[in-house]
Amino acid sequence: MFVEQLINGLAIGTIYALVAVGYSLVFGILRLVNFTHSSVYTLGAFMVYVGVEYLHLNIFLAILFSLVTTGFAGVMIDKMGLEPLRKKGASKISAMITTIGLSYIIINCLNIAFGSQIIRFPDLFNYGTFKLLGATIAWQQVIIGAVALILLVALSIFINRTRIGLAMRAVQQEPSAAAINGINVNMIISLTFFLGAASAAIAGTLIASYNQYLRSSMGDIVGLKAFAAAVLGGIGSLPGSVLGGLIIGVSESMAVYKLGGSYIDMVAFSLLFLVLLIRPYGILGRKGSTKV
Amino acid sequence: MNMKKENKSLYTKAVITIGQLWENPIIKGIILLALALFVYFLPKMATLYFQRIAIMVAFYAIGAYTAVLLTTYRGTNYLVAVILGACLAGAFGALLALSTMRLSGTYVTIVTMAFFYVISSIILNWDSVTKGSVGVLNIPAPNLFGMKLTMKNGGIFYLIMFYAALTILATQLIINSKVGRAIKAVRDDEMAAIMMGINNKKYKIIAYTLAAFFAGLAGTLYGPFMGYINNATFNYDICISALVIVILGGIGTVKGAIIGAIIISPLGELLRGLTTFMKGLPEWMQISQPEQWRFVIYGMIMVIMMRFRPQGILGGQSKLPYKMPKGVERKVMK
Amino acid sequence: MALLEAKGITKKFGGLVAVDKLSFEVKQGEIVSIIGPNGAGKTTVFNMITGIYEIDEGEIVFDNKVISNKSPIYIVEAGISRTFQNIRLFKQMRVIENVMVGTHIKTNYNFFDALFRTKRFRNEERKATQKAIDILESIDLGDYINDYANNLPYGLQRRLEIARAIATGAKLLILDEPAAGMNPQESENLLNFIRSLQAKGYTILIIEHDMNVVMNISDRIYVMDYGKRIANGTPSEIASNPDVIKAYLGDASEILEEDDAV
Ligand SMILES: Nc1ncnc2c1ncn2[C@@H]1O[C@H](COP(=O)(O)OP(=O)(O)O)[C@@H](O)[C@H]1O
Ligand SMILES: [Mg+2]
């Protein structure tokens, strides 16, 4: 049981991490908690469903379709919702409330279109099980974890090694200086939203396939936990998000193993509470110096 | 004599009829109003209105459950139960204030969201006490000094009006005092407030406790009004409704909260009515799922208000002159 | 007998020694200026006096009480109040409310007095309001009582900050670049106002870059560079001090271009 739960925890944890990275990316660049992220995650899974069910695409094309549409939706959220606010010099709170509003619109439109009940979703990675250290492990879990991990690695290579990634980091550090150096800041922000949304779409698809169902409320709790993971690790820091995601994933499945399932959702938050009491800026976060 | 009596019963009837027509929107509106009013009190440490509201709803739930469980299963006197409910909520407020004291911005956001989540999770899972998703049924009507206040005799309606008046009065009295100014000052610029000799921690705790107390008080109304409560009573939807009221009306003004409540509360009924009305129309013109449409509209209100009038309809800076206490005068008149 | 005395105070930020064994004193009724290039550590000194920063070494004595490493609230109550280099008003409050927040510690009633509008509440509130109005009149802000702080023009915001500091009942006012961003007319008015404060018995410690203000107003001047005191004396002594001239010429550009770290 222990090994199964551990593997399970790691698999779920990498998915939390993938979603958490999206929060962190946008936070790093706009200092804004993007509340649309969880609805974008849900949208991503639904777009795969639309691709398979309505457009009769094969699963890979359907995922590609979802990546493009969801990524585009992410960009539109910024272009239509947030960029005008930035131009106006509106407050952070206005921007955050706008994201809450947009998130409500997205989720409830999904609700109107598809209903709020459970919808069956294909199990994409049903390759049976194998034995490890006497435990029976589903390939599905391994593959899900591996896909999420590969994406995380790719994302971090992209951000740390490419020219565009460099520009992203420059905008994070000092938007005005980046603009002076000829970086198109709005382009970079759009790209950030695209990446965040696309990785959330993949995460949503993986989870939907893992549970073998979809529903419009699927993002609520995952979104919150991924946000908790980002904060736990130190928001704005990519390694922090990954670490936070893994910690939450593993401790949750350990809690199920030890305590049973009913309090599972509280584990993440209790943990967060404890960590923040000791380290108010998260595990890998740094204290921003406030000058007086 | 007879005429008078008849008049009176006519009047009572009228009140009851109006009450029944509007009872849902009005009563819910007033309950939400109480939440919305004190949201304003929570200091900046709860960066976002939404978080402030989420914790307000958590306090609201604490108040509601305490009162309902005591009156239904223990037969506790209604007034005592109400006071205990509000006080327990207040105590949780103080506790939350203490535990978030060291944190800043985003971190407070997540902790307060987590607080909301933990409270709802406890309500759902602590079956033996809260009855989980089945909920508490057959909540007795409030009994005030031997008088049963029910929906039928309009008593609940008056009770709720009384609470609303009390809440509005209390906010006014507190805002226009040294305590209210200190809370506002800490919210506007904590460092500068400290430099004025204001004990920032003390006033944060006061603000949280007050907000929690009044949210708890509003919560004690919900049970007797609905007759039952369960875990779903205190979900995100109610947070969102209160948030939209605040955003639409304008945060920080009593008038704004009232206007927001008046506009927003009947929306659900209205959409439900519209749905029934449209049953006769061709299918593509029909609206099904009025609840979902309500939330889409809420979302649009948020986005549009933030874009064009972030301070709300009546929010922002008052144009009226500052109300001076009696006996104060300007020496140099220009 | 000095009203305020700093004895060898030091503040380090990591490896940076922002204030280095600095000593100075301000006597009752004096106007003393601290000048020095940008980054010299002046604001840090103010933050040490007002209890925002802890002091690594040394001691500060005010009115015969040791105030170093006491809480800011203790220090305000002891009688020191300040303004900030970057204006820090309560922006969403009215001008009069800003000043009334200043009267907070001098207003004696509690929560329940406020809730029940007791006689004590009414008396105290009337007194506080009257005091706020009188202060605002004296600083020529009487016509702006009802305005919200963030709608005031810059120069008036600076003045409002001083009004707010006075309202705490402080004996010593410490002003961090009060003339920053003011036009010559405004800083002339400020100069006169600070003099009138001195005439009323206030003691004033001031950081200022506007040499016209500094030279005209100060009884004595301390000059800081790299956290150390490099000179002190009367305005005329300072004006002819070779060290001061060197420190300033070396950083001429920075004097013109003030940073925005408060
Ligand atoms: N909170 C802080 N953390 C780190 N360094 C600081 C802090 N406050 C001030 N400093 C540094 O201390 C030095 C002195 O700053 P300051 O007192 O603001 O100078 P001045 O007011 O003379 O322009 C500067 O190098 C500044 O960067
Ligand atoms: Mg300075």
Side-chain angles (χ1 to χ4, degrees), chain C residues 83-89 139 141 152-163 176-182 190:
Chain C
T83 66
F84 296 88
Q85 184 174 338
N86 273 356
I87 300 173
R88 300 191 78 140
L89 287 169
I139 199 168
L141 283 171
L152 290 186
Y154 190 77
L156 296 190
Q157 291 196 8
R158 286 236 170 254
R159 260 199 270 167
L160 177 55
E161 243 199 337
I162 299 176
D176 198 343
E177 303 198 19
M182 286 191 177
L190 181 79

Side-chain angles (χ1 to χ4, degrees), chain A residues 67-82:
Chain A
L67 275 184
V68 173
T69 48
T70 313
F72 184 70
V75 174
M76 289 322 283
I77 285 170
D78 178 57
K79 284 281 168 212
M80 293 176 40
L82 300 176

Side-chain angles (χ1 to χ4, degrees), chain A residues 173-229:
Chain A
Q173 300 284 326
E174 203 61 67
S176 45
I180 291 167
N181 285 311
I183 294 173
N184 183 343
V185 173
N186 278 325
M187 244 289 290
I188 294 295
I189 293 175
S190 293
L191 180 74
T192 308
F193 270 86
F194 185 90
L195 286 178
S199 51
I202 299 272
T205 309
L206 291 175
I207 286 282
S209 141
Y210 174 78
N211 292 332
Q212 299 177 33
Y213 69 79
L214 281 176
R215 67 191 306 177
S216 56
S217 62
M218 66 188 261
D220 294 358
I221 291 174
V222 175
L224 209 54
K225 281 185 196 159
F227 181 39

Side-chain angles (χ1 to χ4, degrees), chain A residues 88 104 108 221 224 277, chain B residues 102 111 113 117 240 295 307:
Chain A
K88 237 178 73 176
Y104 250 67
N108 284 290
I221 291 174
L224 209 54
L277 278 183
Chain B
R102 278 181 70 203
V111 168
M113 274 166 87
Y117 210 80
I240 290 289
F295 289 125
R307 179 85 168 271

Side-chain angles (χ1 to χ4, degrees), chain A residues 290-291, chain C residues 13 16 18 37-44 53 85 258 262:
Chain A
T290 38
K291 282 193 179 176
Chain C
F13 294 111
L16 173 82
N38 197 6
K42 306 178 298 293
T43 299
T44 306
Y53 291 160
Q85 184 174 338
E258 189 41 32
V262 184

